[in-house]
Amino acid sequence: MKAKILSFTFLFSSLISYSQEVNEEKIRQYIKEDKNKISVVAGLSYLHNTFGLRYQDKIFILRPNDAFYTEFFMRYRWLDVSFSFAPKFTRINNDDPEKGKSKYFNFGFTFFLSPKLRQYVYFSQVKGLYFQDTKDFMRLVYGNDYNEEGYLQFPDAKYRSFKGETSYLWLGNKTDYRSFNNMTHQPLKDVFLLSTGLFYQYNILSDLNKTIYQGEIFNENENDSPSKDVRIALRSGGGVQKMIKQNWYAIVEIYPEFYYSKLIDEDFHEFNVGLYSNARIGYDNGKWFFGGGTQLNWINSSNENFYSTTQWLFRIGLGFRFNSPKFVNRNFDKIDNILK
């Protein structure tokens, strides 16, 4: 009897080891084949954004008008590139006469400097803002009896943001982290990651000379100097990737953060805490894939932030993979050999 139990235990252990070896072999085979494939994603996102403007030691909230914008992601080997804008057909409201039109443009890319060091670079611009606190602002200027309706629009206003993040993976490596970047990588197994990242951001708010209020256009003759600020945040946290069933997966990331922000050329700065998080669920069979997710960036500032803050983002996307041209593979092989 004992001999049968020992034989069964040995057989069971052997099957587990064999199963793990088979899974690892499949992953290695997938990564090898994936080197010569290009992944493309087309998506639609809704971004809720606020900006702060100081006037007489008070913070007033500026906002772009609500709209969906299109996103495109392309990934080949170790390089992820994203590009987005807001075409006319993606508007979700009919209040342009009251709040104005907003235009979005974003461009960024992500790559690994080493198996554990990831670099993220991003540029974004929003053109066309309106005063969410118009009535409060008018009462500050004309007195508390002011009770007119409407919004102050800044049709030429531009908010440009240059962002970057350098992250170090304490637990995990670039192979495990691939699918956390975006949908261009196929999730292959259950993964748990821990990382610390340094986030840095430089923002410019400019071109506030032209305003529209209740249908009338006003132009300031004075040159309005841009408002500039910097933000630095230290993020530490983790992420979980879970394979739900065949080709289905879920990903969750949570990163508490400590940050410092400074308004350039003015005596205004702030230390604070916040939370940055991502969640996504999707399907990926290796050839085509789709998914949806949300992003939350909460900062404990009581709406007294003078820099761009994304409260939340919603995104859906659909993508596919295809074989890359041979001349592209040859050139990237040369680059890979140099990076080694």
Side-chain angles (χ1 to χ4, degrees):
M1 183 66 180
K2 290 183 179 179
K4 289 184 177 180
I5 293 175
L6 289 173
S7 299
F8 177 78
T9 303
F10 177 77
L11 177 62
F12 184 71
S13 301
S14 300
L15 289 174
I16 292 176
S17 300
Y18 177 74
S19 176
Q20 291 174 344
E21 289 176 3
V22 170
N23 288 336
E24 291 298 325
E25 181 60 32
K26 285 183 177 180
I27 291 173
R28 283 193 293 268
Q29 182 64 27
Y30 168 80
I31 293 174
K32 182 179 179 181
E33 294 174 354
D34 184 66
K35 284 184 62 177
N36 298 324
K37 290 185 178 181
I38 295 175
S39 299
V40 178
V41 179
L44 197 64
S45 292
Y46 173 78
L47 177 67
H48 179 87
N49 231 335
T50 61
F51 310 93
L53 184 66
R54 296 187 70 213
Y55 181 77
Q56 295 186 3
D57 296 326
K58 292 188 176 182
I59 305 295
F60 294 93
I61 301 301
L62 285 155
R63 282 200 59 198
N65 204 356
D66 292 338
F68 281 108
Y69 66 94
T70 56
E71 288 187 304
F72 298 93
F73 298 92
M74 186 180 72
R75 194 266 308 171
Y76 176 67
R77 297 197 185 184
W78 40 264
L79 183 62
D80 284 88
V81 179
S82 62
F83 171 81
S84 58
F85 62 97
K88 293 181 180 180
F89 66 85
T90 59
R91 288 185 303 172
I92 63 171
N93 51 53
N94 297 312
D95 58 4
D96 286 349
E98 292 80 24
K99 297 181 179 179
K101 296 181 180 180
S102 296
K103 297 180 180 180
Y104 293 82
F105 175 79
N106 305 289
F107 179 77
F109 55 92
T110 305
F111 57 93
F112 272 86
L113 299 169
S114 72
K116 286 185 173 289
L117 198 63
R118 184 191 66 148
Q119 182 63 48
Y120 164 80
V121 181
Y122 197 74
F123 169 76
S124 63
Q125 175 178 287
V126 180
K127 181 179 179 182
L129 306 173
Y130 73 93
F131 242 144
Q132 182 174 295
D133 305 322
T134 295
K135 186 174 289 187
D136 293 336
F137 176 77
M138 290 299 188
R139 286 177 176 175
L140 182 65
V141 176
Y142 297 107
N144 293 329
D145 293 335
Y146 191 92
N147 204 31
E148 295 288 334
E149 298 297 328
Y151 294 96
L152 269 172
Q153 299 177 25
F154 300 90
D156 297 334
K158 290 193 289 287
Y159 196 92
R160 289 164 288 171
S161 185
F162 302 85
K163 307 174 187 178
E165 183 177 6
T166 306
S167 302
Y168 182 81
L169 300 175
W170 298 102
L171 180 63
N173 54 45
K174 66 178 181 180
T175 301
D176 296 332
Y177 198 82
R178 288 155 55 95
S179 51
F180 284 76
N181 283 332
N182 55 53
M183 284 185 287
T184 58
H185 289 281
Q186 181 182 6
L188 301 173
K189 61 180 181 178
D190 294 349
V191 173
F192 176 68
L193 297 170
L194 290 175
S195 70
T196 297
L198 181 65
F199 174 85
Y200 29 93
Q201 182 176 354
Y202 174 63
N203 304 311
I204 305 171
L205 176 62
S206 61
D207 300 322
L208 294 171
N209 292 334
K210 182 179 179 180
T211 58
I212 299 176
Y213 184 59
Q214 295 180 340
E216 295 189 43
I217 300 175
F218 304 90
N219 287 287
E220 296 284 343
N221 294 324
E222 300 178 1
N223 288 326
D224 182 36
S225 58
S227 174
K228 303 176 182 179
D229 62 82
V230 293
R231 175 188 170 194
I232 301 173
L234 183 65
R235 297 171 174 169
S236 291
V240 176
Q241 175 179 285
K242 181 67 177 177
M243 306 306 295
I244 302 173
K245 58 180 181 178
Q246 186 177 8
N247 299 329
W248 288 90
Y249 67 91
I251 293 175
V252 177
E253 293 181 274
I254 299 176
Y255 299 95
E257 66 179 20
F258 298 92
Y259 76 87
Y260 170 78
S261 46
K262 175 73 170 68
L263 192 60
I264 298 175
D265 298 329
E266 293 193 36
D267 185 20
F268 193 91
H269 64 95
E270 181 181 44
F271 289 93
N272 223 314
V273 296
L275 180 70
Y276 178 80
S277 63
N278 283 298
R280 187 172 88 237
I281 187 169
Y283 173 88
D284 193 326
N285 66 3
K287 294 183 179 179
W288 66 277
F289 44 95
F290 64 87
T294 62
Q295 181 185 101
L296 173 67
N297 189 8
W298 171 79
I299 297 175
N300 185 29
S301 293
S302 302
N303 284 331
E304 293 180 357
N305 51 308
F306 51 83
Y307 45 84
S308 171
T309 300
T310 300
Q311 273 76 37
W312 59 271
L313 177 147
F314 173 75
R315 173 186 290 136
I316 56 174
L318 174 67
F320 63 96
R321 297 183 181 91
F322 57 92
N323 292 328
S324 55
K326 290 183 179 180
F327 75 90
V328 175
N329 297 335
R330 288 195 299 267
N331 289 326
F332 264 79
D333 285 339
K334 295 176 182 178
I335 296 173
D336 288 341
N337 290 329
I338 295 173
L339 294 176
K340 288 178 181 179

